[in-house]
Amino acid sequence: MTRDLTGRTSVVIGGTSGMGRAVVDALLAAGSTVVTTSRDPEGSSAAADLKAAGVRLVRADVTTPDGLDELVEAVPTVDHLVLSAAGLTYRPFRDFPASDAAGTVDGKLLGYWNAVHRLAPALSEHASVVLFSGVASVRPGPGTAAVTAANAGVEGLGRSLAVELAPVRVNVLNPGVFETASWAHMEEKEREEFYAETASSLPVGRIGQPEDAADAVLFLLTNPQVTGTVLDLDGGARLV
Ligand SMILES: NC(=O)c1ccc[n+]([C@@H]2O[C@H](COP(=O)([O-])OP(=O)(O)OC[C@H]3O[C@@H](n4cnc5c(N)ncnc54)[C@H](OP(=O)(O)O)[C@@H]3O)[C@@H](O)[C@H]2O)c1
């Protein structure tokens, strides 16, 4: 299967960090022109590295109606679109009114809706789209109600868009625990213990690395027969 994306334009919304950043690197290695985004392109610590790699960094915030104006203007044609952005809140359900949960739904499900909707006119006929969900969609824990609902919604959205935007292919990557800045809010010791405990609980005996996700995204973006799929990349978390 060829992964030569020379001449293609790829957009990664959420490419300044974590799995999105690894996707940017994989797309560059495949020869694609890459545009990625930040809510604060001037202040982003990734800006210099991205620029040095030849990546265009554009301001975008998926949660606001005009937050995608600069990106829409910057990319008249999109061959590959990846949405890895997320703004999520974990909180016990009994202390979590719907009005507070709306931020998580906006940060992910409606944010992705907004981004695909705004960029749909730019998608080329052979375009492909990958949306990120998360293992809480099928393996919820205490405090994950909003995250579970948003991620399950993303998976449904992906199936729906695979039908409605055809022949554009739309797929969802469902990661388990990956070593990224998502866990930076934890103290280092607590985080290392969490990683170690999670790894030992998984059939594969390890947590995910951003490059694992990038490899899976490239598969979903380039395989011409895959659409409407949710690819579980969770080390078996949903089984144990
Ligand atoms: N890491 C995990 O263990 C894990 C597990 C399950 C699912 N996931 C999912 O996998 C995806 C990637 O996670 P990650 O851990 O790699 O992410 P991350 O390192 O936390 O990076 C998040 C990225 O999203 C961007 N972003 C955040 N809010 C945004 C908004 N409103 N509009 C546009 N961009 C926004 C950030 O860019 P700026 O700050 O520069 O704007 C950043 O590039 C997410 O959807 C997450 O829910 C992750």
Side-chain angles (χ1 to χ4, degrees):
M1 187 63 58
T2 177
R3 287 186 174 181
D4 180 3
L5 301 181
T6 307
R8 301 285 178 92
T9 298
S10 303
V11 173
V12 181
I13 300 183
T16 56
S17 175
M19 291 182 259
R21 181 61 216 275
V23 170
V24 166
D25 290 342
L27 287 164
L28 287 172
S32 181
T33 297
V34 183
V35 178
T36 193
T37 69
S38 174
R39 290 162 294 176
D40 178 15
E42 289 84 24
S44 171
S45 57
D49 278 356
L50 288 166
K51 191 174 171 199
V55 176
R56 188 163 172 199
L57 183 61
V58 178
R59 182 182 308 280
D61 184 340
V62 297
T63 61
T64 66
D66 55 2
L68 291 148
D69 286 354
E70 277 186 42
L71 180 62
V72 168
E73 191 145 327
V75 282
T77 303
V78 178
D79 298 303
H80 303 295
L81 172 62
V82 179
L83 272 146
S84 60
L88 306 175
T89 302
Y90 295 82
R91 203 195 292 178
F93 181 76
R94 290 178 197 283
D95 303 327
F96 204 177
S99 52
D100 289 358
T104 293
V105 176
D106 284 350
K108 194 132 190 198
L109 173 58
L110 292 180
Y112 285 16
W113 182 305
N114 186 28
V116 180
H117 183 256
R118 291 293 313 276
L119 288 167
L123 291 173
S124 63
E125 199 176 311
H126 56 260
S128 55
V129 178
V130 173
L131 313 176
F132 274 65
S133 65
V135 70
S137 66
V138 291
R139 194 80 164 79
T144 66
V147 177
T148 293
N151 280 325
V154 167
E155 293 175 6
L157 178 65
R159 282 189 288 272
S160 187
L161 295 182
V163 173
E164 196 158 342
L165 298 183
V168 171
R169 296 182 301 100
V170 183
N171 291 287
V172 176
L173 185 73
N174 182 16
V177 172
F178 273 66
E179 189 173 350
T180 75
S182 274
W183 307 106
H185 60 278
M186 290 180 169
E187 294 292 331
E188 190 179 350
K189 186 167 177 289
E190 182 196 3
R191 188 168 60 240
E192 291 308 323
E193 283 170 5
F194 166 68
Y195 285 159
E197 276 169 26
T198 305
S200 66
S201 75
L202 293 173
V204 297
R206 66 191 283 279
I207 61 166
Q209 295 300 319
E211 296 71 26
D212 306 327
D215 182 59
V217 168
L218 264 281
F219 161 73
L220 293 172
L221 288 177
T222 55
N223 188 299
Q225 200 62 10
V226 62
T227 196
T229 291
V230 177
L231 178 59
D232 297 313
L233 202 72
D234 62 2
R238 72 206 175 285
L239 306 173
V240 293

